[in-house]
Amino acid sequence: MRSPLSLLILACALLVSGCALPIPGTSSGRDHRLRQLGYHPQKLQKTSGDVRYSGKFLVNGQPVQLLIDSGANSTDIESAIALRAGVRPSKSLTVISRGALGRPVTSQVGVGTLTAGQITATPFPFMLTPASDRHTATSRYDGQLGLDALEGLGVLVDLSSGTFWVPSQKARNAGATTISPLGPVMGLGFETLSLRRAGRLPHLILEGVWNGHPLSWVVDTGAEVTVLSTATVRRHGLPTVPTGSKIIDASGDNSDVSVASLKNVIFGRLVVSEYQVAVTPLTTVRQNFRDSRGRAVDGIIGMDFLARSGALLDSASRLLYVGQPEVRVRSRRTNAAAALPVTLRITE
């Protein structure tokens, strides 16, 4: 099943508020540590008008441009592009998926090879999506690289510098024919946040607390901004401001968007002092994804938070490293806000 979590905001810029410092660039300390671990960097790209990252990969040896999408559990390629690469659809298997706003999309399944850097996965299953005249969250790319590839290839994605770290044969987690999860490693971030599965689904959930209430979020590199569900906003009485903007999902459906502000959202020992989020129903997302308490998830963490917090995503290990490693100092409460430009601070 394809993920219903590829989102794209149109006609407005919903950014993290309270951020006076620049977005962190490449961390020499983090890069050095990853090279020590046997990982090789592959530079990702941004297309004009899009804050998300995509990368060049090989499908059956043919180059394709795929959106990096941790909100998708499968790797999808447009059918015509897949056929040109020699990926043939199975005649006996089709998959019906839904966008975040509910529209069903029927895809076929094909098998081929997927190469990133020195790593080739074979046989690798692709969802072959039909061509569409609708503008969707992924229509400017050849497809999307989902959780099945991010986890299977054992890659780490630096979402501040736009670097795709691929394990080499010298990596400690690389075997002769398999790559295991790297697991927690010191020196990759200011703080390490554990992620959970969305119940029986593979999507990654980040759990936090706001005003004593639990909030859970799907970690989605395919979403431009962070989105909170209308149901959660109403339950907690949060004021919202209409924007006149629309949100578009992977099927091309759209929905009106308003804006709300959250203060002092806690993730582990980190606090986001002020955070502006988009608000839209997310009905399909809430119907399908559950957190560790069995609650419907409250929203989606998008690229605004992930880029500004200097996040490094290790999907296979279910870890999110936040901030650059060299900012760890003895007086952490004093220095955290200056080091992490999402106004994050450490709690005791």
Side-chain angles (χ1 to χ4, degrees):
M1 171 181 168
R2 184 180 168 195
S3 163
L5 294 177
S6 295
L7 304 179
L8 175 63
I9 291 295
L10 297 182
C12 71
L14 296 174
L15 302 176
V16 181
S17 60
C19 299
L21 297 178
I23 295 174
T26 301
S27 163
S28 59
R30 173 183 286 173
D31 289 2
H32 178 69
R33 186 72 178 105
L34 285 166
R35 291 178 190 276
Q36 283 182 326
L37 293 167
Y39 280 70
H40 289 169
Q42 176 179 329
K43 195 63 181 174
L44 299 174
Q45 298 82 42
K46 289 183 180 179
T47 61
S48 176
D50 195 341
V51 302
R52 304 170 300 171
Y53 287 111
S54 64
K56 295 184 183 298
F57 304 93
L58 297 179
V59 173
N60 284 355
Q62 300 300 309
V64 294
Q65 191 78 21
L66 301 179
L67 176 71
I68 307 302
D69 192 354
S70 67
N73 63 344
S74 65
T75 295
D76 298 6
I77 302 179
E78 186 180 322
S79 296
I81 296 171
L83 286 172
R84 287 198 296 270
V87 179
R88 305 296 175 186
S90 167
K91 296 181 180 180
S92 60
L93 182 62
T94 59
V95 177
I96 298 177
S97 60
R98 292 184 182 272
L101 304 177
R103 177 184 291 271
V105 177
T106 301
S107 303
Q108 294 179 294
V109 180
V111 176
T113 64
L114 174 65
T115 301
Q118 299 179 353
I119 302 295
T120 296
T122 183
F124 188 87
F126 297 96
M127 297 297 111
L128 311 184
T129 59
S132 173
D133 294 332
R134 296 167 63 87
H135 177 60
T136 74
T138 58
S139 56
R140 67 182 72 186
Y141 305 99
D142 296 329
Q144 62 190 23
L145 193 81
L147 277 174
D148 55 353
L150 294 174
E151 296 184 3
L153 297 171
V155 298
L156 280 69
V157 187
D158 192 321
L159 297 162
S160 61
S161 67
T163 309
F164 197 77
W165 289 92
V166 183
S168 70
Q169 293 179 341
K170 296 181 179 179
R172 73 181 192 186
N173 54 325
T177 58
T178 60
I179 300 171
S180 8
L182 179 62
V185 175
M186 294 294 294
L188 294 182
F190 178 76
E191 189 67 14
T192 305
L193 302 176
S194 295
L195 306 174
R196 299 178 182 273
R197 294 292 193 199
R200 291 176 294 177
L201 297 173
H203 301 79
L204 301 174
I205 305 297
L206 178 61
E207 297 184 348
V209 176
W210 172 76
N211 275 4
H213 304 289
L215 291 181
S216 54
W217 315 75
V218 180
V219 177
D220 187 1
T221 62
E224 282 199 305
V225 298
T226 295
V227 186
L228 192 61
S229 72
T230 303
T232 297
V233 166
R234 289 174 177 168
R235 184 170 68 248
H236 296 301
L238 279 168
T240 61
V241 178
T243 65
S245 303
K246 299 284 186 180
I247 195 166
I248 294 182
D249 74 357
S251 74
D253 273 2
N254 63 75
S255 177
D256 293 331
V257 174
S258 56
V259 177
S261 291
L262 296 173
K263 294 186 177 180
N264 298 325
V265 182
I266 301 171
F267 298 109
R269 295 179 300 159
L270 299 175
V271 178
V272 183
S273 66
E274 187 170 6
Y275 194 10
Q276 188 181 76
V277 296
V279 178
T280 203
L282 293 181
T283 303
T284 302
V285 175
R286 288 175 55 79
Q287 286 174 346
N288 288 280
F289 298 149
R290 302 287 168 177
D291 63 17
S292 63
R293 299 176 177 85
R295 299 171 54 255
V297 297
D298 296 289
I300 295 167
I301 288 280
M303 281 296 296
D304 51 356
F305 176 89
L306 296 170
R308 289 178 177 269
S309 64
L312 176 73
L313 177 62
D314 182 351
S315 302
S317 303
R318 303 180 202 171
L319 296 173
L320 187 68
Y321 298 95
V322 179
Q324 304 301 346
E326 60 264 30
V327 301
R328 278 195 175 273
V329 292
R330 184 170 299 174
S331 181
R332 296 169 72 178
R333 177 180 292 275
T334 302
N335 290 277
L340 302 178
V342 188
T343 324
L344 301 174
R345 67 176 188 270
I346 296 291
T347 59
E348 295 293 353

